Amino acid sequence: MNEFSLIRRYFSRPPRRRDVLLGIGDDAAWLAPQPGSGLVVTVDTLIEAVHFPVGTAPGDIAHKALAVNLSDLAAMGAVPAWFTLALSLPSADDAWLRAFAADLFALADRFDVELVGGDTTRGDMSVTVQAMGFADQVLKRDGARAGQAIMVSGTLGDAALALARTQAGESVDARLSARLNRPEPRVALGRGLVGLAASAIDVSDGLYADLGHILAASGCGATVQLDALPRSEAFAAAAPDSAWALLGAGDDYELCFTVDTARLPEVHELAATIGVPVTRIGTTEAVPGLRCVGANGALVTVGTVGYDHFR
Ligand code: ADP
Ligand code: MG
């Protein structure tokens, strides 16, 4: 199997979207963006042994590589449309590629995004996905103002707990490992928050770091209630007292956003309509910095911050 038959066999499919004038197979894709709408573009790389352990199931790698990019589009409030895939592999293994492609396209079809091109090389395993979508208005990090409610979708810490348990060689609840390997991008929530939320980010590096990005960009501060952080049943059962380990936990791929308190009913109505829970975890304030308050109301000093590749 050569490079071209590999691409044809695993990644080339009949066109699905009408806005793809020319997909895989030429020197570049030819796409028809929506007239009058902005193009939102994001890219993320997953490297073996850095972002996923050696031996991770190919379907999990494929799902995550696309999901983390869709999560970035969600955090902007964009409608996903297209993606490209740059794949570096040590060898062309049929079973691996088959499983990779199956789960890649399963997620792609669920969000109506089409693979329009890519690059295939031999080397250490890495997967780069670039995703593109449309928006005529976006959610940004710099829109938070003092006095807004700080909200988060879903639950926090599940993926980080699964990773810690896996690395320690312990058994992991299947619900927790699913959160690590199969994140669900909050695309519908992000769309619905456009024009409603004041600021938003997806929680990929841990709440403390990512909410910190909103506060820094917006020039304000916040207080977060540790006992308000949403935990899953599986998390509570496996780690009853670690509310605040959640702050530094990465890989949640939930949305964190701020909203004027007067508009909270609309947020809850949206969340109920799309079936994604949202929880208020604190309030933005004029004083810069992120303060965390424990159950007894006392300030808790948090030394944990998000993952940084170069620290
Ligand atoms: P070029 O040499 O002109 O850059 P390539 O030989 O790299 O073209 O790729 C041929 C075609 O296959 C292009 O349309 C490219 O976008 C597509 N392609 C290559 N690798 C992938 C991949 N992993 N997934 C999807 N499309 C791919
Ligand atoms: Mg090429």
PDB file of all heavy atoms in Angstrom, residues 228-255:
ATOM      1  N   ALA A 228     -19.416  24.238  44.574  1.00  0.00           N
ATOM      2  CA  ALA A 228     -20.385  24.336  43.476  1.00  0.00           C
ATOM      3  C   ALA A 228     -19.881  23.665  42.199  1.00  0.00           C
ATOM      4  O   ALA A 228     -20.635  23.471  41.248  1.00  0.00           O
ATOM      5  CB  ALA A 228     -20.702  25.808  43.196  1.00  0.00           C
ATOM      6  N   LEU A 229     -18.600  23.306  42.171  1.00  0.00           N
ATOM      7  CA  LEU A 229     -18.061  22.700  40.942  1.00  0.00           C
ATOM      8  C   LEU A 229     -18.796  21.397  40.640  1.00  0.00           C
ATOM      9  O   LEU A 229     -18.882  20.516  41.502  1.00  0.00           O
ATOM     10  CB  LEU A 229     -16.557  22.421  41.091  1.00  0.00           C
ATOM     11  CG  LEU A 229     -15.671  23.644  41.347  1.00  0.00           C
ATOM     12  CD1 LEU A 229     -14.205  23.226  41.492  1.00  0.00           C
ATOM     13  CD2 LEU A 229     -15.817  24.663  40.230  1.00  0.00           C
ATOM     14  N   PRO A 230     -19.330  21.261  39.423  1.00  0.00           N
ATOM     15  CA  PRO A 230     -20.145  20.076  39.111  1.00  0.00           C
ATOM     16  C   PRO A 230     -19.306  18.816  38.958  1.00  0.00           C
ATOM     17  O   PRO A 230     -18.343  18.796  38.196  1.00  0.00           O
ATOM     18  CB  PRO A 230     -20.809  20.452  37.780  1.00  0.00           C
ATOM     19  CG  PRO A 230     -19.894  21.456  37.161  1.00  0.00           C
ATOM     20  CD  PRO A 230     -19.252  22.211  38.288  1.00  0.00           C
ATOM     21  N   ARG A 231     -19.668  17.805  39.731  1.00  0.00           N
ATOM     22  CA  ARG A 231     -18.965  16.513  39.703  1.00  0.00           C
ATOM     23  C   ARG A 231     -19.919  15.424  39.250  1.00  0.00           C
ATOM     24  O   ARG A 231     -21.088  15.426  39.636  1.00  0.00           O
ATOM     25  CB  ARG A 231     -18.471  16.159  41.098  1.00  0.00           C
ATOM     26  CG  ARG A 231     -17.077  16.650  41.402  1.00  0.00           C
ATOM     27  CD  ARG A 231     -16.879  16.830  42.883  1.00  0.00           C
ATOM     28  NE  ARG A 231     -17.567  18.040  43.342  1.00  0.00           N
ATOM     29  CZ  ARG A 231     -17.566  18.465  44.595  1.00  0.00           C
ATOM     30  NH1 ARG A 231     -16.953  17.780  45.507  1.00  0.00           N
ATOM     31  NH2 ARG A 231     -18.200  19.577  44.910  1.00  0.00           N
ATOM     32  N   SER A 232     -19.416  14.478  38.485  1.00  0.00           N
ATOM     33  CA  SER A 232     -20.260  13.355  38.071  1.00  0.00           C
ATOM     34  C   SER A 232     -20.400  12.376  39.229  1.00  0.00           C
ATOM     35  O   SER A 232     -19.615  12.394  40.172  1.00  0.00           O
ATOM     36  CB  SER A 232     -19.634  12.638  36.878  1.00  0.00           C
ATOM     37  OG  SER A 232     -18.461  11.963  37.283  1.00  0.00           O
ATOM     38  N   GLU A 233     -21.417  11.531  39.120  1.00  0.00           N
ATOM     39  CA  GLU A 233     -21.609  10.461  40.107  1.00  0.00           C
ATOM     40  C   GLU A 233     -20.365   9.588  40.193  1.00  0.00           C
ATOM     41  O   GLU A 233     -19.911   9.213  41.272  1.00  0.00           O
ATOM     42  CB  GLU A 233     -22.762   9.566  39.651  1.00  0.00           C
ATOM     43  CG  GLU A 233     -23.988   9.600  40.513  1.00  0.00           C
ATOM     44  CD  GLU A 233     -25.090   8.773  39.865  1.00  0.00           C
ATOM     45  OE1 GLU A 233     -24.882   7.557  39.688  1.00  0.00           O
ATOM     46  OE2 GLU A 233     -26.129   9.376  39.522  1.00  0.00           O
ATOM     47  N   ALA A 234     -19.820   9.250  39.012  1.00  0.00           N
ATOM     48  CA  ALA A 234     -18.651   8.370  38.966  1.00  0.00           C
ATOM     49  C   ALA A 234     -17.456   9.039  39.644  1.00  0.00           C
ATOM     50  O   ALA A 234     -16.696   8.389  40.357  1.00  0.00           O
ATOM     51  CB  ALA A 234     -18.311   8.022  37.517  1.00  0.00           C
ATOM     52  N   PHE A 235     -17.316  10.338  39.435  1.00  0.00           N
ATOM     53  CA  PHE A 235     -16.209  11.073  40.060  1.00  0.00           C
ATOM     54  C   PHE A 235     -16.385  11.080  41.575  1.00  0.00           C
ATOM     55  O   PHE A 235     -15.446  10.800  42.326  1.00  0.00           O
ATOM     56  CB  PHE A 235     -16.143  12.505  39.524  1.00  0.00           C
ATOM     57  CG  PHE A 235     -14.968  13.292  40.051  1.00  0.00           C
ATOM     58  CD1 PHE A 235     -13.816  13.426  39.286  1.00  0.00           C
ATOM     59  CD2 PHE A 235     -15.008  13.887  41.302  1.00  0.00           C
ATOM     60  CE1 PHE A 235     -12.721  14.137  39.763  1.00  0.00           C
ATOM     61  CE2 PHE A 235     -13.916  14.594  41.793  1.00  0.00           C
ATOM     62  CZ  PHE A 235     -12.771  14.720  41.028  1.00  0.00           C
ATOM     63  N   ALA A 236     -17.595  11.414  42.029  1.00  0.00           N
ATOM     64  CA  ALA A 236     -17.851  11.496  43.469  1.00  0.00           C
ATOM     65  C   ALA A 236     -17.601  10.146  44.143  1.00  0.00           C
ATOM     66  O   ALA A 236     -17.075  10.085  45.252  1.00  0.00           O
ATOM     67  CB  ALA A 236     -19.281  11.966  43.717  1.00  0.00           C
ATOM     68  N   ALA A 237     -17.962   9.062  43.453  1.00  0.00           N
ATOM     69  CA  ALA A 237     -17.760   7.729  44.024  1.00  0.00           C
ATOM     70  C   ALA A 237     -16.273   7.382  44.092  1.00  0.00           C
ATOM     71  O   ALA A 237     -15.808   6.773  45.054  1.00  0.00           O
ATOM     72  CB  ALA A 237     -18.501   6.689  43.189  1.00  0.00           C
ATOM     73  N   ALA A 238     -15.520   7.795  43.080  1.00  0.00           N
ATOM     74  CA  ALA A 238     -14.107   7.410  43.002  1.00  0.00           C
ATOM     75  C   ALA A 238     -13.203   8.336  43.806  1.00  0.00           C
ATOM     76  O   ALA A 238     -12.156   7.927  44.294  1.00  0.00           O
ATOM     77  CB  ALA A 238     -13.657   7.381  41.544  1.00  0.00           C
ATOM     78  N   ALA A 239     -13.583   9.599  43.935  1.00  0.00           N
ATOM     79  CA  ALA A 239     -12.739  10.589  44.613  1.00  0.00           C
ATOM     80  C   ALA A 239     -13.623  11.550  45.400  1.00  0.00           C
ATOM     81  O   ALA A 239     -13.844  12.671  44.983  1.00  0.00           O
ATOM     82  CB  ALA A 239     -11.903  11.343  43.585  1.00  0.00           C
ATOM     83  N   PRO A 240     -14.134  11.098  46.557  1.00  0.00           N
ATOM     84  CA  PRO A 240     -15.167  11.854  47.268  1.00  0.00           C
ATOM     85  C   PRO A 240     -14.761  13.274  47.656  1.00  0.00           C
ATOM     86  O   PRO A 240     -15.593  14.162  47.690  1.00  0.00           O
ATOM     87  CB  PRO A 240     -15.428  11.014  48.527  1.00  0.00           C
ATOM     88  CG  PRO A 240     -14.780   9.695  48.304  1.00  0.00           C
ATOM     89  CD  PRO A 240     -13.781   9.842  47.220  1.00  0.00           C
ATOM     90  N   ASP A 241     -13.491  13.523  47.969  1.00  0.00           N
ATOM     91  CA  ASP A 241     -13.155  14.825  48.559  1.00  0.00           C
ATOM     92  C   ASP A 241     -12.218  15.672  47.743  1.00  0.00           C
ATOM     93  O   ASP A 241     -11.466  16.472  48.292  1.00  0.00           O
ATOM     94  CB  ASP A 241     -12.543  14.615  49.947  1.00  0.00           C
ATOM     95  CG  ASP A 241     -13.625  14.273  50.950  1.00  0.00           C
ATOM     96  OD1 ASP A 241     -14.686  14.929  50.887  1.00  0.00           O
ATOM     97  OD2 ASP A 241     -13.417  13.335  51.740  1.00  0.00           O
ATOM     98  N   SER A 242     -12.222  15.512  46.436  1.00  0.00           N
ATOM     99  CA  SER A 242     -11.211  16.269  45.711  1.00  0.00           C
ATOM    100  C   SER A 242     -11.812  17.330  44.823  1.00  0.00           C
ATOM    101  O   SER A 242     -11.404  17.509  43.694  1.00  0.00           O
ATOM    102  CB  SER A 242     -10.311  15.334  44.932  1.00  0.00           C
ATOM    103  OG  SER A 242     -11.059  14.287  44.419  1.00  0.00           O
ATOM    104  N   ALA A 243     -12.790  18.063  45.376  1.00  0.00           N
ATOM    105  CA  ALA A 243     -13.411  19.126  44.593  1.00  0.00           C
ATOM    106  C   ALA A 243     -12.356  19.979  43.946  1.00  0.00           C
ATOM    107  O   ALA A 243     -12.489  20.412  42.822  1.00  0.00           O
ATOM    108  CB  ALA A 243     -14.274  19.990  45.488  1.00  0.00           C
ATOM    109  N   TRP A 244     -11.297  20.170  44.642  1.00  0.00           N
ATOM    110  CA  TRP A 244     -10.480  21.212  44.113  1.00  0.00           C
ATOM    111  C   TRP A 244      -9.317  20.764  43.276  1.00  0.00           C
ATOM    112  O   TRP A 244      -8.707  21.569  42.597  1.00  0.00           O
ATOM    113  CB  TRP A 244     -10.227  22.203  45.188  1.00  0.00           C
ATOM    114  CG  TRP A 244      -9.254  21.859  46.194  1.00  0.00           C
ATOM    115  CD1 TRP A 244      -9.343  20.977  47.192  1.00  0.00           C
ATOM    116  CD2 TRP A 244      -8.007  22.487  46.313  1.00  0.00           C
ATOM    117  NE1 TRP A 244      -8.238  21.021  47.949  1.00  0.00           N
ATOM    118  CE2 TRP A 244      -7.396  21.950  47.431  1.00  0.00           C
ATOM    119  CE3 TRP A 244      -7.350  23.458  45.590  1.00  0.00           C
ATOM    120  CZ2 TRP A 244      -6.171  22.360  47.833  1.00  0.00           C
ATOM    121  CZ3 TRP A 244      -6.127  23.846  45.999  1.00  0.00           C
ATOM    122  CH2 TRP A 244      -5.545  23.290  47.116  1.00  0.00           C
ATOM    123  N   ALA A 245      -9.166  19.459  43.216  1.00  0.00           N
ATOM    124  CA  ALA A 245      -8.278  18.909  42.196  1.00  0.00           C
ATOM    125  C   ALA A 245      -8.851  19.222  40.805  1.00  0.00           C
ATOM    126  O   ALA A 245      -8.135  19.268  39.816  1.00  0.00           O
ATOM    127  CB  ALA A 245      -8.140  17.400  42.374  1.00  0.00           C
ATOM    128  N   LEU A 246     -10.170  19.465  40.785  1.00  0.00           N
ATOM    129  CA  LEU A 246     -10.839  19.758  39.505  1.00  0.00           C
ATOM    130  C   LEU A 246     -10.317  21.029  38.866  1.00  0.00           C
ATOM    131  O   LEU A 246     -10.392  21.213  37.661  1.00  0.00           O
ATOM    132  CB  LEU A 246     -12.347  19.939  39.717  1.00  0.00           C
ATOM    133  CG  LEU A 246     -13.099  18.807  40.383  1.00  0.00           C
ATOM    134  CD1 LEU A 246     -14.581  19.058  40.270  1.00  0.00           C
ATOM    135  CD2 LEU A 246     -12.742  17.505  39.730  1.00  0.00           C
ATOM    136  N   LEU A 247      -9.805  21.913  39.673  1.00  0.00           N
ATOM    137  CA  LEU A 247      -9.391  23.216  39.148  1.00  0.00           C
ATOM    138  C   LEU A 247      -8.212  23.111  38.198  1.00  0.00           C
ATOM    139  O   LEU A 247      -8.080  23.880  37.267  1.00  0.00           O
ATOM    140  CB  LEU A 247      -9.020  24.134  40.303  1.00  0.00           C
ATOM    141  CG  LEU A 247     -10.190  24.500  41.190  1.00  0.00           C
ATOM    142  CD1 LEU A 247      -9.707  25.233  42.405  1.00  0.00           C
ATOM    143  CD2 LEU A 247     -11.170  25.344  40.408  1.00  0.00           C
ATOM    144  N   GLY A 248      -7.347  22.153  38.465  1.00  0.00           N
ATOM    145  CA  GLY A 248      -6.170  22.021  37.616  1.00  0.00           C
ATOM    146  C   GLY A 248      -6.316  20.898  36.613  1.00  0.00           C
ATOM    147  O   GLY A 248      -5.396  20.610  35.868  1.00  0.00           O
ATOM    148  N   ALA A 249      -7.495  20.263  36.610  1.00  0.00           N
ATOM    149  CA  ALA A 249      -7.693  19.079  35.780  1.00  0.00           C
ATOM    150  C   ALA A 249      -7.913  19.465  34.327  1.00  0.00           C
ATOM    151  O   ALA A 249      -8.755  20.299  34.024  1.00  0.00           O
ATOM    152  CB  ALA A 249      -8.888  18.289  36.309  1.00  0.00           C
ATOM    153  N   GLY A 250      -7.187  18.796  33.437  1.00  0.00           N
ATOM    154  CA  GLY A 250      -7.348  19.095  32.020  1.00  0.00           C
ATOM    155  C   GLY A 250      -8.310  18.152  31.331  1.00  0.00           C
ATOM    156  O   GLY A 250      -8.870  17.257  31.960  1.00  0.00           O
ATOM    157  N   ASP A 251      -8.488  18.387  30.023  1.00  0.00           N
ATOM    158  CA  ASP A 251      -9.223  17.459  29.161  1.00  0.00           C
ATOM    159  C   ASP A 251     -10.717  17.366  29.407  1.00  0.00           C
ATOM    160  O   ASP A 251     -11.351  16.397  29.005  1.00  0.00           O
ATOM    161  CB  ASP A 251      -8.637  16.028  29.260  1.00  0.00           C
ATOM    162  CG  ASP A 251      -7.450  15.839  28.320  1.00  0.00           C
ATOM    163  OD1 ASP A 251      -7.239  16.703  27.442  1.00  0.00           O
ATOM    164  OD2 ASP A 251      -6.738  14.831  28.465  1.00  0.00           O
ATOM    165  N   ASP A 252     -11.307  18.378  30.070  1.00  0.00           N
ATOM    166  CA  ASP A 252     -12.759  18.323  30.310  1.00  0.00           C
ATOM    167  C   ASP A 252     -13.557  18.567  29.028  1.00  0.00           C
ATOM    168  O   ASP A 252     -14.595  17.958  28.816  1.00  0.00           O
ATOM    169  CB  ASP A 252     -13.172  19.388  31.335  1.00  0.00           C
ATOM    170  CG  ASP A 252     -12.655  19.082  32.726  1.00  0.00           C
ATOM    171  OD1 ASP A 252     -12.820  17.934  33.163  1.00  0.00           O
ATOM    172  OD2 ASP A 252     -12.103  19.991  33.366  1.00  0.00           O
ATOM    173  N   TYR A 253     -13.091  19.514  28.236  1.00  0.00           N
ATOM    174  CA  TYR A 253     -13.816  19.945  27.029  1.00  0.00           C
ATOM    175  C   TYR A 253     -15.255  20.339  27.311  1.00  0.00           C
ATOM    176  O   TYR A 253     -16.152  20.101  26.515  1.00  0.00           O
ATOM    177  CB  TYR A 253     -13.675  18.915  25.890  1.00  0.00           C
ATOM    178  CG  TYR A 253     -12.220  18.779  25.553  1.00  0.00           C
ATOM    179  CD1 TYR A 253     -11.483  17.685  25.981  1.00  0.00           C
ATOM    180  CD2 TYR A 253     -11.545  19.818  24.914  1.00  0.00           C
ATOM    181  CE1 TYR A 253     -10.110  17.620  25.760  1.00  0.00           C
ATOM    182  CE2 TYR A 253     -10.186  19.756  24.687  1.00  0.00           C
ATOM    183  CZ  TYR A 253      -9.484  18.655  25.109  1.00  0.00           C
ATOM    184  OH  TYR A 253      -8.134  18.600  24.893  1.00  0.00           O
ATOM    185  N   GLU A 254     -15.454  20.937  28.478  1.00  0.00           N
ATOM    186  CA  GLU A 254     -16.718  21.597  28.776  1.00  0.00           C
ATOM    187  C   GLU A 254     -16.572  23.070  28.419  1.00  0.00           C
ATOM    188  O   GLU A 254     -15.457  23.549  28.173  1.00  0.00           O
ATOM    189  CB  GLU A 254     -17.066  21.440  30.262  1.00  0.00           C
ATOM    190  CG  GLU A 254     -17.312  20.006  30.697  1.00  0.00           C
ATOM    191  CD  GLU A 254     -18.563  19.384  30.047  1.00  0.00           C
ATOM    192  OE1 GLU A 254     -19.353  20.116  29.426  1.00  0.00           O
ATOM    193  OE2 GLU A 254     -18.716  18.153  30.147  1.00  0.00           O
ATOM    194  N   LEU A 255     -17.700  23.792  28.363  1.00  0.00           N
ATOM    195  CA  LEU A 255     -17.619  25.229  28.134  1.00  0.00           C
ATOM    196  C   LEU A 255     -17.729  25.956  29.466  1.00  0.00           C
ATOM    197  O   LEU A 255     -18.543  25.600  30.314  1.00  0.00           O
ATOM    198  CB  LEU A 255     -18.754  25.705  27.208  1.00  0.00           C
ATOM    199  CG  LEU A 255     -18.733  25.172  25.780  1.00  0.00           C
ATOM    200  CD1 LEU A 255     -19.835  25.842  24.951  1.00  0.00           C
ATOM    201  CD2 LEU A 255     -17.370  25.401  25.118  1.00  0.00           C
TER     202      LEU A 255
END
